[in-house]
């Protein structure tokens, strides 16, 4: 049975993407199509802020790209030595809040100690942060994308927790998306399941998927990587057959396999 994953492949330790591997363990053939492209912006501004941990109460990362922006700052501005010698430890003396395992592992790669990774989404992370911070805290530095949801900033503002958001990447539709989707459908036919990994993915893919699937769209089991993406799918009138309990390959593969077993 075929599964289409609307995300960029990431090579794991054994070579293939962890999502593809997990689904294969259930006998499912997964194909990945990148949906988004990213352009980093304002790295000088971020670099300047990273140089002054004394002005902040901590860091927040809700996407792998935001951590990549930090890595780029360290490379571009010859900051790595200063980072390893002093800045990293100064930031680690504060809280480094993250969502999700992918973001958490990248945070660890730059030498920071993450917390909150198991919260699973921005709503729950904001609750976690609000329990630990207050209006007397120094602001939290939040490198984010241009399409970030306002859930976390709003929750912190409502609780009086100061936040300094800096947009460090712009999100756009991947230039090859339409072509890749058309080629997949003409070669593989209609998949049994399609998974969205972000609200942006829903926005950029849905019309093309509806066109390519035609009357068969109701036969497809649509899955979401988490509640935020599921909300975006519901808002477009899609039936969400399963939403991963946690945003991991294991949880998603289990959910999809259970849904597909119901067909047979």
């Amino acid at each position: 049975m075929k599964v289409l994953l609307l995300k960029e492949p990431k090579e794991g330790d054994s070579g293939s993407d962890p999502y593809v591997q997990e689904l294969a363990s259930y006998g499912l053939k997964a194909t990945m199509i990148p949906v988004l492209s990213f352009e980093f912006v304002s790295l000088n501004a971020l670099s300047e802020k990273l140089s002054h941990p004394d002005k902040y109460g901590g860091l927040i990362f809700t996407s792998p790209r935001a951590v990549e922006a930090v890595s780029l700052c360290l490379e571009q501005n010859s900051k790595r030595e200063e980072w390893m010698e002093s800045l990293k430890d100064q930031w680690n003396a504060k809280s480094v809040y993250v969502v999700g395992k992918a973001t958490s592992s990248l945070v660890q790669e730059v030498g920071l100690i993450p917390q909150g990774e198991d919260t699973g989404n921005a709503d729950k992370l904001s609750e976690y942060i609000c329990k630990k911070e207050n209006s007397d805290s120094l602001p939290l530095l939040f490198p984010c994308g241009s399409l970030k949801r306002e859930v976390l900033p709003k929750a912190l503002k409502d609780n009086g927790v100061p936040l300094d958001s800096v947009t460090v990447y712009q999100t756009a539709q991947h230039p090859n998306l339409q072509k890749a989707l058309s080629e997949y459908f003409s070669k593989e036919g209609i998949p049994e399941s399609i998974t969205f990994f972000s609200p942006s993915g829903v926005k950029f893919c849905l019309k093309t998927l509806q066109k390519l699937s035609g009357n068969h769209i109701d036969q497809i089991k649509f899955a979401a990587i988490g509640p935020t993406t599921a909300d975006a799918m519901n808002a477009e009138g899609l039936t969400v057959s399963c939403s991963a309990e946690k945003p991991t390959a294991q949880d998603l593969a289990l959910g999809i396999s259970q849904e597909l077993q119901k067909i047979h």
Side-chain angles (χ1 to χ4, degrees), residues 77-95:
N77 299 298
S78 310
K79 269 203 161 41
R80 188 150 303 266
E81 198 174 327
E82 186 190 359
W83 179 261
M84 296 310 288
E85 284 178 5
S86 68
L87 289 176
K88 170 174 69 80
D89 293 336
Q90 289 177 59
W91 281 111
N92 274 332
K94 303 165 186 289
S95 298

Side-chain angles (χ1 to χ4, degrees), residues 37-55:
S37 65
F38 301 93
E39 182 191 352
F40 291 101
V41 295
S42 309
L43 292 184
N44 287 341
L46 176 61
S47 187
E48 180 62 25
K49 290 171 190 288
L50 289 170
S51 300
H52 294 99
D54 52 303
K55 293 183 179 175

Side-chain angles (χ1 to χ4, degrees), residues 204-259:
F204 294 140
C205 294
L206 188 55
K207 279 195 172 55
T208 304
L209 290 173
Q210 286 168 330
K211 193 169 119 192
L212 292 167
S213 306
N215 297 331
H216 300 286
I217 195 153
D218 294 337
Q219 296 165 20
I220 300 169
K221 297 281 187 183
F222 285 98
I225 192 59
T228 307
T229 303
D231 288 347
M233 292 162 71
N234 285 323
E236 293 292 342
L238 275 184
T239 301
V240 181
S241 295
C242 81
S243 182
E245 233 167 85
K246 286 185 180 169
T248 66
Q250 291 85 351
D251 282 278
L252 181 70
L254 177 63
I256 291 173
S257 70
Q258 287 174 342
E259 277 304 315

